[in-house]
Amino acid sequence: MLNHDGINRIDNLVKQLSNEKDEWMSLAIAIDLADEIMKGLLPDKEVWQKKLNHDSQHTGTLPKPLPVDVFHTQKQRTWFREHPNLRSARVALQHFRADDCAVESKFFWFSESATKQKISASTEFTSNWEDSDLTRKPNNKVGIDFFLTDDANSLLIVLSNRQKHRVMELHGHLSNTQKQIFEYNLNGAASYDGIKDGVRQEFEPQRTIHQTLWNALQLKEVNKQFYAIVAKFFDDLVKELIKQGKTPEDAKQFSSRLLGRMLFIWFLRKMEIIHEEFGYFDLDGLSATDYYEEKVKLLFFNTLNTDVSERVHQDYLTPYLNGGLFEPKENDFEKEKIAFPDNYFKNLFDRFNEFNFTTDESSADFEMIAVDPEMLGQVFESLLSSEINADGATRQAHSILRVKLLTICVEKLSDTIFIARLKVIHSSKELTSYLISLMHNLWQEKVHLELTFGELIVKKLVLS
């Protein structure tokens, strides 16, 4: 069972894993991290808890490898790193299993990028209770899968449900949201024994345990919390600007545009597109008003909206993102000094840091429990909904389409080829063409806005 100390141990191991340079020590840390997580899910049964005391960092002990015949093809074996001690085996391990426990866990270490397809296929190497109606048998166990990423700095927790998957990535540190998930949703989640009046109920305890685990990882709850936070910052800033004499419409447009831009660059920052050495996100004791004046304007208007050759400072690495998002509008009040609520940006960044961000968009079949580009679209579309002038619906449609383009670009940031190309482009003409030609083509072809982002990407693979 998880208590405060247990969550702190998990947090410390996540920090260790993210900072460790030796990949084999990272493997040991990841095994110990998986141990701590499973201890929190299971009841305090001594024999089970003992199985989860690998203490790999000090003993070098690893769980037993899965049999070679679990791989459906020879190619699948190569997805995983070679076992450090057994030449014929891979780091595809039976992490925890006990005959009298309804839950089991496996551990994998990818040798290359952890794609959705590989994760999905790996969860099906052995049958688990939740796979289908045919596997819902008393002897089958609920499965939990751990995946160490190829860089050995992140651990993925994966749950399955009839070929659908929910994934939570542990990297850097536990976000507040993740701490809440561990404390309130996953704590003791596998403790139910399924016995009522001395009789084991049908499909129990697997049904209840799996439903508890599955419900613990719900993206919609994460997105709901995140949007509520962004909306609160929006409302607070609008009220402050109206006090300063701005019209309600200008206040709303300024606030929505600021928050949308901030969220967009948070994704860029995750992919190391923003050159951090210039301290754009360092508050340095500045008031919120001075921070916006000295650093936010510098990043928005004089960096992301300015060709590298024309910048007044020496940031030659952060790319020029021409295309309108960072172009100062009349109601951006670029030449004015806007007064912000006390600690506005410190509080905003603190709240952003409470969440995990991912550039992979979730789908009905594969949910990353993190703020994804879909949320970027939701924030833009919701907060910018008032950005309609005399052009009416046409202006709104253009705005929404631009949002979808930017969201696609964020998703493409996970493509290393895209990142490399983005970092070396300095010509405003070339980058403009690279980023906004898609919007023009989509508009010309009258693509329906109801298409998913994934369908839009497939339709215009020219971005690759």
Side-chain angles (χ1 to χ4, degrees):
M1 303 287 281
L2 276 174
N3 53 26
H4 183 70
D5 290 340
I7 293 175
N8 282 339
R9 283 195 297 272
I10 291 174
D11 190 25
N12 288 333
L13 285 167
V14 172
K15 293 174 182 175
Q16 278 186 260
L17 180 64
S18 302
N19 295 321
E20 180 58 54
K21 303 302 182 184
D22 184 287
E23 61 183 12
W24 297 109
M25 180 55 71
S26 291
L27 172 60
I29 294 169
I31 294 292
D32 292 345
L33 175 55
D35 284 353
E36 289 297 324
I37 293 169
M38 290 300 293
K39 287 178 183 178
L41 302 183
L42 296 171
D44 295 325
K45 188 170 182 177
E46 184 177 357
V47 65
W48 296 352
Q49 296 288 324
K50 187 175 181 180
K51 283 178 175 285
L52 292 166
N53 284 329
H54 292 101
D55 194 17
S56 297
Q57 294 180 72
H58 299 105
T59 66
T61 302
L62 299 180
K64 292 182 179 180
L66 293 170
V68 176
D69 60 7
V70 302
F71 303 110
H72 301 155
T73 66
Q74 183 66 22
K75 176 66 175 176
Q76 288 180 343
R77 290 187 71 247
T78 66
W79 292 352
F80 309 105
R81 292 290 298 267
E82 290 185 2
H83 195 286
N85 304 322
L86 303 171
R87 290 285 183 177
S88 61
R90 298 281 168 165
V91 183
L93 314 172
Q94 182 69 66
H95 174 248
F96 171 81
R97 185 181 176 89
D99 290 341
D100 57 344
C101 183
V103 178
E104 67 173 356
S105 58
K106 301 181 187 68
F107 184 102
F108 304 90
W109 183 9
F110 278 118
S111 60
E112 51 193 26
S113 180
T115 66
K116 296 177 182 179
Q117 293 76 15
K118 290 175 184 175
I119 291 173
S120 298
S122 300
T123 63
E124 298 176 2
F125 286 152
T126 59
S127 293
N128 287 111
W129 186 88
E130 65 274 8
D131 291 344
S132 70
D133 287 336
L134 296 177
T135 58
R136 300 197 170 196
K137 300 176 181 178
N139 292 332
N140 280 343
K141 301 178 183 298
V142 174
I144 299 173
D145 296 290
F146 296 99
F147 293 90
L148 181 61
T149 54
D150 59 313
D151 62 7
N153 288 142
S154 300
L155 187 69
L156 308 179
I157 305 173
V158 181
L159 300 176
S160 305
N161 185 14
R162 297 174 182 266
Q163 286 71 56
K164 295 182 178 180
H165 302 86
R166 289 180 176 172
V167 182
M168 184 164 70
E169 179 181 11
L170 305 181
H171 178 76
H173 62 89
L174 287 185
S175 66
N176 280 1
T177 303
Q178 290 175 335
K179 288 179 180 179
Q180 292 174 14
I181 288 174
F182 277 115
E183 182 173 2
Y184 301 115
N185 299 352
L186 291 176
N187 190 9
S191 297
Y192 182 62
D193 62 10
I195 297 175
K196 184 177 180 180
D197 298 328
V199 178
R200 187 177 301 281
Q201 303 299 296
E202 186 178 17
F203 299 125
E204 299 293 358
Q206 290 92 329
R207 177 169 56 188
T208 297
I209 290 175
H210 179 262
Q211 193 63 49
T212 301
L213 292 170
W214 188 251
N215 290 343
L217 303 186
Q218 292 197 62
L219 177 61
K220 66 179 181 180
E221 289 301 317
V222 173
N223 282 348
K224 181 179 178 181
Q225 290 180 36
F226 186 79
Y227 184 76
I229 288 170
V230 174
K232 177 67 164 57
F233 279 92
F234 171 78
D235 291 339
D236 289 347
L237 186 54
V238 168
K239 291 174 184 176
E240 181 66 28
L241 292 172
I242 291 175
K243 287 180 183 178
Q244 297 174 36
K246 305 302 181 190
T247 68
E249 185 63 21
D250 281 347
K252 289 177 182 178
Q253 289 195 28
F254 177 93
S255 302
S256 63
R257 199 176 296 119
L258 171 68
L259 289 167
R261 287 165 170 165
M262 279 294 182
L263 180 54
F264 182 66
I265 63 173
W266 213 258
F267 283 100
L268 299 185
R269 189 184 186 195
K270 176 180 174 61
M271 299 309 299
E272 300 180 353
I273 297 298
I274 305 295
H275 190 34
E276 294 278 350
E277 288 186 13
F278 281 83
Y280 298 117
F281 302 98
D282 297 335
L283 298 173
D284 294 332
L286 296 171
S287 67
T289 299
D290 290 338
Y291 173 74
Y292 180 78
E293 192 69 20
E294 296 179 22
K295 297 198 174 185
V296 176
K297 283 185 177 180
L298 178 66
L299 176 59
F300 283 2
F301 308 132
N302 297 321
T303 305
L304 294 171
N305 192 60
T306 301
D307 192 288
V308 173
S309 63
E310 299 174 1
R311 291 176 184 171
V312 297
H313 60 313
Q314 296 180 325
D315 183 355
Y316 304 127
L317 297 180
T318 301
Y320 172 28
L321 296 181
N322 189 17
L325 178 61
F326 293 98
E327 179 183 352
K329 306 296 190 294
E330 182 178 350
N331 51 15
D332 276 327
F333 313 114
E334 183 191 10
K335 304 302 181 182
E336 298 182 35
K337 188 170 184 177
I338 300 296
F340 283 82
D342 290 343
N343 298 314
Y344 186 82
F345 291 101
K346 178 184 182 301
N347 294 336
L348 180 66
F349 294 167
D350 285 346
R351 298 313 297 267
F352 277 7
N353 283 326
E354 292 177 1
F355 294 83
N356 274 20
F357 284 74
T358 178
T359 53
D360 290 325
E361 185 190 349
S362 293
S363 65
D365 295 332
F366 197 98
E367 290 187 6
M368 290 289 294
I369 310 306
V371 177
D372 67 359
E374 176 76 21
M375 177 51 66
L376 173 62
Q378 288 181 29
V379 169
F380 268 106
E381 291 178 30
S382 298
L383 298 185
L384 290 176
S385 60
S386 62
E387 195 178 333
I388 305 174
N389 60 8
D391 294 330
T394 301
R395 170 72 177 275
Q396 186 180 37
H398 274 285
S399 176
I400 293 174
L401 192 57
R402 184 184 70 210
V403 168
K404 291 186 179 294
L405 167 63
L406 293 170
T407 307
I408 292 169
C409 291
V410 170
E411 292 167 350
K412 293 298 291 181
L413 291 178
S414 60
D415 186 327
T416 54
I417 296 176
F418 179 88
I419 293 172
R421 183 171 177 184
L422 190 61
K423 285 186 174 180
V424 301
I425 291 177
H426 297 317
S427 162
S428 62
K429 183 177 180 181
E430 183 183 1
L431 187 58
T432 299
S433 174
Y434 188 60
L435 290 179
I436 71 172
S437 63
L438 177 60
M439 183 172 72
H440 172 74
N441 292 337
L442 290 178
W443 188 255
Q444 290 294 103
E445 295 175 18
K446 295 178 170 53
V447 175
H448 294 299
L449 296 180
E450 293 78 22
L451 286 176
T452 66
F453 297 133
E455 288 170 332
L456 288 169
I457 292 174
V458 170
K459 188 173 183 64
K460 288 295 172 184
L461 286 176
V462 67
L463 272 178
S464 297

